[in-house]
Amino acid sequence: MSPMRAGPGVNAVIQARSSSTRLPGKVLRLLAGRSVLGWVVRAAAAAPGVAKVVVATSDDASDDAVAAEARRCGAHVVRGPLDDVVARFGLALSEHPADAVIRLTADCPLLDPALIGRLVAVWQAEPSLDYVSTTLVRTLPRGFDAELVRASVLAEQAATATGADREHVTSAIYRQPDRYSCTGVVVSPAADDLRVTLDTEEDWELISALVAELGDGPGSWRSVVSLLRSRPDLVALNAHIEQKKVGR
């Protein structure tokens, strides 16, 4: 993992579970011989400025294999309520204190360490920010999502969030820009029409094709976008998939 740079400490916390509704067990699928979860752990560990990588999974028996795989990949593990994701993040912060937390999800195997590191750099330059993300204004393909939350704000959400906000962790933060100081990382030209997250068999077909072309290495959003712009046949594989909405 990257050595800590001078400045506030930042941990990456990856939420993971095996009981996905649309593609059960997806985080343990093997992609070029490495689990999808392993891809995400590797990207987080390679990100500049990340001190620790923690996988936050559930204490349900269905996630025993997820916890074991996370440890095998070198991540720390915390386990909490299956349906209360923000509680798991609170547990990760309690057991592995940090000044800020990068929230990642285990269904984004092509995550780019440089993008994660950019969030850290933006926040360390202005640590009064409560929230920094690649999704506040979405210009990247879905699947390069990363969000940084200041520790005190994350602890507040763990204590006070209700309803769908307990599942979506950060939704009550970016919904209230008058209360929380938020900023976004954007790229140009925009590529938010593309999708490289893993939620369906069609997504799996696309991601597998990308890895076959690009190789088993940490993700590079520029390489992924460049390849997809040259291969409309690949884009078509999952272009019809609708992303599940917050609260659904």
Side-chain angles (χ1 to χ4, degrees):
M1 297 184 188
S2 308
M4 279 189 61
R5 294 181 172 182
V10 179
N11 289 346
V13 178
I14 303 163
Q15 66 185 70
R17 65 174 189 169
S18 63
S19 52
S20 162
T21 53
R22 291 210 275 190
L23 198 62
K26 61 185 179 181
V27 304
L28 296 178
R29 286 193 177 200
L30 291 181
L31 184 62
R34 183 189 308 271
S35 70
V36 169
L37 177 59
W39 279 72
V40 180
V41 169
R42 178 179 60 176
V50 168
K52 282 185 180 181
V53 178
V54 183
V55 171
T57 191
S58 87
D59 51 18
D60 192 86
S62 65
D63 284 323
D64 288 351
V66 173
E69 174 64 6
R71 291 189 181 97
R72 194 190 69 78
C73 294
H76 301 275
V77 175
V78 298
R79 303 186 69 172
L82 178 63
D83 296 320
D84 190 347
V85 184
V86 75
R88 284 189 253 147
F89 275 80
L91 189 61
L93 185 59
S94 175
E95 293 191 14
H96 302 280
D99 296 323
V101 165
I102 299 270
R103 178 196 177 209
L104 305 172
T105 60
D107 54 4
C108 295
L110 302 184
L111 275 166
D112 187 335
L115 279 175
I116 300 169
R118 192 184 302 182
L119 297 188
V120 177
V122 167
W123 183 75
Q124 287 184 334
E126 193 176 345
S128 61
L129 288 167
D130 295 317
Y131 177 83
V132 186
S133 87
T134 63
T135 58
L136 193 63
V137 176
R138 185 179 289 280
T139 57
L140 285 153
R142 194 174 293 275
F144 291 107
D145 300 11
E147 302 169 284
L148 181 148
V149 184
R150 195 156 58 86
S152 61
V153 175
L154 180 59
E156 177 187 336
Q157 292 304 307
T160 65
T162 59
D165 293 331
R166 297 207 69 82
E167 177 187 355
H168 296 284
V169 184
T170 58
S171 47
I173 302 170
Y174 59 73
R175 260 204 338 266
Q176 301 182 79
D178 54 334
R179 178 177 179 184
Y180 298 108
S181 177
C182 305
T183 196
V185 168
V186 298
V187 303
S188 182
D192 54 304
D193 57 305
L194 302 173
R195 174 188 174 88
V196 293
T197 191
L198 177 59
D199 205 25
T200 67
E201 288 291 351
E202 293 91 339
D203 295 332
W204 176 254
E205 190 176 352
L206 172 62
I207 291 169
S208 298
L210 286 170
V211 168
E213 292 279 349
L214 297 173
D216 172 27
S220 160
W221 74 267
R222 293 180 188 278
S223 297
V224 169
V225 170
S226 177
L227 179 56
L228 289 177
R229 291 300 187 216
S230 71
R231 292 287 303 276
D233 57 312
L234 294 183
V235 175
L237 290 173
N238 69 350
H240 63 288
I241 300 299
E242 180 189 358
Q243 184 68 17
K244 292 173 72 174
K245 302 293 191 294
V246 171
R248 277 175 48 185

